[in-house]
């Protein structure tokens, strides 16, 4: 994926590479490598990427699809008033599973990933006084 200045990358397992911040991760000993995360737009996109990464490991285990590594890139834009114009993500999985099983895994993750679901549904954000 050709990332904009708002784009991010999260990687773990055998696909963990690059530089960034290491976050503890229950599915891999070395943790998740995440970058960049220096502004709110990147952190929003990183929330999507981390959620999809975590759910790929979790759903792989649930579905019996071996997952050795995952990399997720997420990106999006903003209009003139800094409202998100949407988030797009792309996933690569290191797995011995066949294409049909990987597609089944990808579809399951897209259905259950909490952060993408919350963004799709819309959520009020209010300042507490």
């Amino acid at each position: 994926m050709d990332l904009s200045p708002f784009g991010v990358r999260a990687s773990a397992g055998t696909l963990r590479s690059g530089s960034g911040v290491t976050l503890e991760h229950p599915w891999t000993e070395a943790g998740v490598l995440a970058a960049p995360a220096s502004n709110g737009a990147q952190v929003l996109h990183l929330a999507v990427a981390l959620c999809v990464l975590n759910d790929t490991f979790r759903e792989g285990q649930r579905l019996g699809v071996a997952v050795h590594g995952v990399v997720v890139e997420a990106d999006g834009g903003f209009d003139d008033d800094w409202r998100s114009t949407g988030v797009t993500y792309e996933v690569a999985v290191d797995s011995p599973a066949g294409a049909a099983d990987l597609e089944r895994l990808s579809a399951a993750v897209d259905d259950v990933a909490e952060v993408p679901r919350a963004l799709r549904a819309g959520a009020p954000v209010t300042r507490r006084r």
Side-chain angles (χ1 to χ4, degrees):
M1 189 173 196
D2 189 21
L3 298 175
S4 79
F6 304 123
V8 298
R9 184 173 196 272
S11 60
T14 57
L15 296 180
R16 185 180 187 275
S17 66
S19 61
V21 176
T22 299
L23 306 170
E24 289 187 26
H25 186 246
W27 302 100
T28 61
E29 287 183 26
V32 173
L33 192 59
S38 60
N39 62 52
Q42 292 167 343
V43 173
L44 173 68
H45 298 150
L46 190 55
V48 171
L50 288 171
C51 183
V52 170
L53 183 144
N54 283 330
D55 288 1
T56 300
F57 280 100
R58 185 190 70 215
E59 293 301 301
Q61 185 177 56
R62 183 182 69 80
L63 296 170
V65 176
V67 174
H68 302 302
V70 178
V71 61
V72 180
E73 292 180 331
D75 204 348
F78 296 85
D79 68 16
D80 290 339
D81 293 320
W82 285 102
R83 290 180 296 239
S84 175
T85 57
V87 180
T88 303
Y89 70 88
E90 192 171 290
V91 182
V93 179
D94 177 18
S95 173
D101 282 338
L102 290 175
E103 179 54 38
R104 183 170 56 100
L105 172 59
S106 179
V109 169
D110 197 54
D111 282 345
V112 302
E114 297 85 354
V115 173
R117 284 177 51 207
L119 289 175
R120 287 177 188 134
V125 178
T126 56
R127 179 177 57 90
R128 194 169 173 173
R129 297 178 191 187

